[in-house]
């Protein structure tokens, strides 16, 4: 059953930071009504990124992807169907296929520079959240929206 405490891992990629899109992207998730659980701004290590994208290690763009991904804020959002909804809000992997109104559809043009990451399944979201955050970094509080959803 869909759970209001489902979580997803969203990372704004370095070009999203450089374009000044951090606030706009976070605003979209806030406006949608998701609960912010954790956030950090960091320079990701090469080891962390290799682990994060381990399923893509045989792809020709893997080395370039790791190099490109070396900084950016990462956040955890919680809410009903947040993984699937988050992916819809991001748009398609290739910005060319992303509809206007989605984050990739509105703010980028190139698949290798698509400004944002979002978990693609509840299972992967859990793995990614555990990879990027310690349990203490996930903040517990009751959102005032909780009783309305
Ligand atoms: P997504 O980020 O939509 O989950 P993915 O997991 O298949 O997409 O790939 C991870 C990232 O790798 C993607 O956001 C951008 C990069 N990437 C994917 N396909 C690529 C390609 N053909 N050329 C360059 N970069 C690519
Ligand atoms: Mg992916």
């Amino acid at each position: 059953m869909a759970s209001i405490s489902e979580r997803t891992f969203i990372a704004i990629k370095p070009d999203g930071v450089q374009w000044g899109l951090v606030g706009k992207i976070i605003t979209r998730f806030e406006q949608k009504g998701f609960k912010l659980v954790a956030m950090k701004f960091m320079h990701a290590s090469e080891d962390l990124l290799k682990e994060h994208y381990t399923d893509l290690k045989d792809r020709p763009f893997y080395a370039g992807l790791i190099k490109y991904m070396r900084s950016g804020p990462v956040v955890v959002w919680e809410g009903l169907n947040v993984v699937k909804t988050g992916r819809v809000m991001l748009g398609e992997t290739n910005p060319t296929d992303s509809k206007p109104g989605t984050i990739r559809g509105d703010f980028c043009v190139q698949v290798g520079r698509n400004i944002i990451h979002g978990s693609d399944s509840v299972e992967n979201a859990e793995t990614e959240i555990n990879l990027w955050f310690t349990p203490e970094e996930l903040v517990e509080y009751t959102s005032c929206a909780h009783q309305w959803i």
Side-chain angles (χ1 to χ4, degrees):
M1 207 181 85
S3 158
I4 196 172
S5 60
E6 182 175 303
R7 288 178 175 175
T8 193
F9 171 74
I10 301 290
I12 301 172
K13 298 180 180 180
D15 46 344
V17 178
Q18 294 290 349
W19 295 131
L21 295 172
V22 173
K24 283 198 181 79
I25 289 170
I26 288 172
T27 297
R28 289 191 181 206
F29 281 84
E30 278 187 332
Q31 284 178 338
K32 184 71 180 170
F34 291 130
K35 176 183 165 188
L36 179 60
V37 174
M39 174 153 54
K40 63 167 75 165
F41 187 61
M42 65 188 287
H43 231 128
S45 71
E46 196 170 327
D47 285 350
L48 175 59
L49 292 167
K50 282 183 170 164
E51 177 72 28
H52 176 81
Y53 280 128
T54 188
D55 58 323
L56 299 174
K57 65 176 180 303
D58 298 326
R59 305 294 293 274
F61 55 83
Y62 179 72
L65 176 65
I66 301 298
K67 200 170 162 197
Y68 148 64
M69 283 290 295
R70 293 293 301 275
S71 81
V74 289
V75 291
V76 176
W77 294 96
E78 182 178 284
L80 192 65
N81 295 318
V82 68
V83 171
K84 185 172 178 205
T85 306
R87 292 287 296 195
V88 172
M89 290 166 68
L90 260 60
E92 303 299 321
T93 300
N94 194 329
T96 310
D97 303 324
S98 302
K99 291 196 171 57
T102 64
I103 293 168
R104 286 168 174 166
D106 284 350
F107 298 128
C108 58
V109 293
Q110 224 268 66
V111 66
R113 295 288 182 271
N114 63 3
I115 74 161
I116 188 164
H117 165 83
S119 307
D120 63 5
S121 68
V122 174
E123 193 190 353
N124 285 341
E126 204 179 313
T127 305
E128 291 170 2
I129 291 166
N130 290 333
L131 179 66
W132 288 78
F133 291 90
T134 64
E136 304 78 57
E137 287 172 332
L138 303 169
V139 180
E140 268 187 55
Y141 66 102
T142 304
S143 160
C144 65
H146 191 271
Q147 60 183 315
W148 297 97
I149 295 169

